Each structure stands twice: as structure tokens, then as C-alpha cells.
């Protein structure tokens, strides 16, 4: 009980700002579009994207594609039989790939906006024929830092948390770092093998130092951070954007686990 109270104090002490607000004049209604992701197995996933949205649900991000490839490559270790939560899923390609590769439970989440949630549900439904028996894919709206009872309710009975968190292109929202860490603390299983996979591209390279502040904040709040890769994509996602072109093509990958002292006191 003492360790639980200590964790609650840490979560309460995090600087958690309000969630995203729509940029004025940004949102214009457009028809939904579709994108394809080719799995390493050769299977092609066709996913629906919302037509336009201020939270960028209308894009298939490089970090999402890279996360899906990384997890497919390591499915035997990280995915098969595991309970997995994706935070900020958008179209949900990593979640769908994990379900196809035999995860026990996958919960695909994004901001609780009706258009975003409905889009995730449509992609989950269209992928259902590809998902093997024994693997379950769920969809939920979730606001970072909010109570986690609903998303935790999808876990099998007796499960104490998720084995893997997928966090692709979410740390660019600097004021949400505290909320993201709060969610990690509440959902990641207290196990030495449990992992939060944080993958991102600095689409605005001049803000990279702010983005990287997420990692020391995570270390201050109970996590061990390990950089696992840098991958340079063939081309940038936003061709006309300013800033260092190589950085805008680079996908950074980090692995976060519970610090050993958190496991001892759990």
C-alpha cells in the first residue's frame, strides 16, 4: 500500500497540462481517405483515415509504420500472447499488426473524439478476418492522463497491466508529457519484461530538445530509458516543411521499462 500511495503522489505531482485544442481555422470537412501498409509478411493492410482532423488522424505517420515493422520483426518476443495498449493510435496500424501476429489482447485508443473513435472501429472491423482465434482487438476513446478503468477492463481476469505500450508520435505534444507518463504508470504491468515503446520523428526539428525532455521526466518518475534505434526514411512526410531535412526523415526509437527499485517496492 505504501508504494501505491507513493506512486499516486508522483502522478499528482506531474505537470499535466490540458489536452489538445483545435487550431483556429484548421478544421475543414473532407472525405475520408485510405492508406496501405505492407507487412513484412507481404500482406497489405488497407486502413481508413479520417478526411481531416486537428489531431492529425488523417495521416499514416512514419512512426506508426516503423512501430508496426519493429513489432512484426519481434513478434515472438514482444507480441505473441501479450496484452498490448496503443496510445494515440490514429488509424491503428501497429495495433492491427499486433492482433494479426497473435497478441492475446490489443486495446487501440486515441482521443475520445467521435470521428477518431469511429474510424478506429471501422479499421478494427475490416481487419477482423485477419486476426487469429484467441487474439482480441478492442477500441476505446482515451484522453491521456485520464482514469484508466475502461481500458484496463479489457484485460483478461487476473492481469495486472499491459505487457506492452505502443506510443508512436505522441511525445511531440510537449505539454502532454506529464499526462503520458501518468498513463504509463497506471497501465504498464509491474514486470521487468514490460515495455513502453516510444517512437517518434521530429517533424519540427528545432523543437527536438523539448521533445527529448520526455525521457528524463520519465526517469524521474520510475522508468529506465534505453535508446534502441534510429531509422532514416527514404523521404520526409511533409515535403514543404522547414528545418533539417535529415532529421525530418529520421525515426527515433526508445524502450522504457520500470526502474529496478520500482519493481522491488511494487
Amino acid at each position: 500500500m505504501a508504494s501505491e500511495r507513493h506512486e499516486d503522489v508522483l502522478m499528482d505531482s506531474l505537470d499535466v497540462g490540458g489536452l489538445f485544442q483545435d487550431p483556429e481555422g484548421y478544421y475543414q470537412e473532407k472525405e475520408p481517405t485510405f492508406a496501405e501498409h505492407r507487412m513484412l509478411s507481404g500482406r497489405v493492410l488497407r486502413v481508413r483515415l479520417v478526411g481531416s482532423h486537428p489531431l492529425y488522424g488523417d495521416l499514416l505517420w512514419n512512426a506508426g509504420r516503423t512501430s508496426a515493422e519493429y513489432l512484426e520483426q519481434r513478434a515472438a518476443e514482444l507480441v505473441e500472447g501479450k496484452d498490448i495498449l496503443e496510445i494515440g493510435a490514429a488509424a491503428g496500424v501497429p495495433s492491427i499488426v499486433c492482433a494479426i501476429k497473435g497478441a492475446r489482447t490489443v486495446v487501440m485508443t486515441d482521443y475520445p473524439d467521435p470521428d477518431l473513435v469511429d474510424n478506429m472501429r471501422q479499421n478494427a472491423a475490416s481487419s477482423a478476418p485477419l486476426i487469429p482465434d484467441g487474439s482480441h482487438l478492442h477500441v476505446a476513446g482515451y484522453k491521456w492522463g485520464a482514469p484508466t478503468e475502461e481500458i484496463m477492463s479489457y484485460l483478461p481476469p487476473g492481469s495486472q497491466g499491459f505487457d506492452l505500450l505502443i506510443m508512436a508520435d505522441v511525445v511531440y505534444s510537449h505539454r502532454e508529457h506529464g499526462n503520458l507518463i501518468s498513463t504509463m504508470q497506471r497501465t504498464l504491468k509491474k514486470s521487468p519484461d514490460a515495455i513502453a515503446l516510444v517512437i517518434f520523428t521530429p517533424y519540427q526539428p528545432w523543437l527536438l530538445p523539448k521533445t527529448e525532455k520526455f525521457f528524463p521526466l520519465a526517469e524521474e518518475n520510475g522508468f529506465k530509458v534505453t535508446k534502441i534505434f534510429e531509422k532514416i526514411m527514404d523521404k520526409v512526410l511533409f515535403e514543404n516543411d522547414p528545418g533539417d531535412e535529415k532529421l525530418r526523415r529520421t525515426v527515433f526509437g526508445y524502450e522504457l521499462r520500470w526502474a529496478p527499485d520500482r519493481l522491488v517496492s511494487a
Side-chain angles (χ1 to χ4, degrees):
M1 291 297 293
S3 63
E4 292 178 2
R5 288 195 297 271
H6 179 60
E7 184 172 293
D8 288 340
V9 169
L10 279 171
M11 287 190 288
D12 291 341
S13 69
L14 291 170
D15 181 14
V16 290
L19 209 67
F20 311 99
Q21 296 183 4
D22 298 355
E24 183 178 354
Y26 177 91
Y27 186 77
Q28 294 181 349
E29 190 70 29
K30 296 179 183 177
E31 289 298 313
T33 58
F34 292 85
E36 291 185 346
H37 173 78
R38 182 177 294 275
M39 296 178 61
L40 300 176
S41 65
R43 174 174 283 154
V44 176
L45 303 179
R46 187 171 186 262
V47 292
R48 182 182 185 271
L49 310 174
V50 293
S52 58
H53 201 278
L55 300 187
Y56 307 104
D58 55 327
L59 297 170
L60 191 54
W61 296 79
N62 286 338
R65 291 185 185 274
T66 303
S67 298
E69 291 175 359
Y70 183 87
L71 292 166
E72 187 180 359
Q73 288 172 334
R74 294 159 181 80
E77 173 192 357
L78 299 177
V79 175
E80 293 175 10
K82 305 293 187 180
D83 298 319
I84 298 172
L85 170 66
E86 184 171 9
I87 300 169
V93 168
S95 287
I96 294 169
V97 168
C98 286
I100 292 171
K101 297 301 293 184
R104 179 170 65 168
T105 308
V106 182
V107 184
M108 181 196 307
T109 72
D110 209 322
Y111 187 77
D113 170 89
D115 290 338
L116 291 178
V117 175
D118 177 67
N119 194 72
M120 289 190 296
R121 291 193 193 283
Q122 292 194 47
N123 286 335
S126 65
S127 67
L130 307 176
I131 297 173
D133 293 341
S135 184
H136 303 282
L137 176 59
H138 306 278
V139 172
Y142 177 70
K143 179 179 177 180
W144 304 342
T148 57
E149 285 81 3
E150 180 186 359
I151 54 179
M152 298 293 279
S153 73
Y154 294 110
L155 288 166
S159 193
Q160 300 300 308
F162 291 93
D163 300 294
L164 174 69
L165 308 184
I166 305 170
M167 302 167 61
D169 268 339
V170 296
V171 293
Y172 71 88
S173 183
H174 309 131
R175 65 181 182 181
E176 294 302 313
H177 286 175
N179 280 328
L180 288 166
I181 292 170
S182 175
T183 296
M184 291 166 57
Q185 289 176 321
R186 295 167 192 244
T187 58
L188 188 65
K189 182 186 292 184
K190 284 285 182 68
S191 163
D193 297 324
I195 294 171
L197 189 63
V198 179
I199 296 180
F200 71 95
T201 291
Y203 299 105
Q204 297 174 304
W206 58 93
L207 295 179
L208 180 58
K210 285 189 174 182
T211 303
E212 292 176 327
K213 288 182 178 179
F214 173 83
F215 300 106
L217 183 62
E219 290 177 327
E220 291 168 12
N221 286 279
F223 296 96
K224 178 183 177 181
V225 176
T226 304
K227 187 175 182 180
I228 52 176
F229 68 78
E230 288 186 20
K231 178 180 179 179
I232 299 178
M233 308 297 285
D234 292 334
K235 59 182 181 179
V236 296
L237 187 60
F238 303 103
E239 293 184 358
N240 297 322
D241 276 6
D244 185 279
E245 193 253 354
K246 183 177 179 181
L247 269 179
R248 291 189 292 121
R249 287 193 291 122
T250 303
V251 183
F252 295 89
Y254 287 80
E255 181 181 277
L256 280 66
R257 298 176 186 252
W258 285 108
D261 63 312
R262 290 307 182 90
L263 296 171
V264 170
S265 61

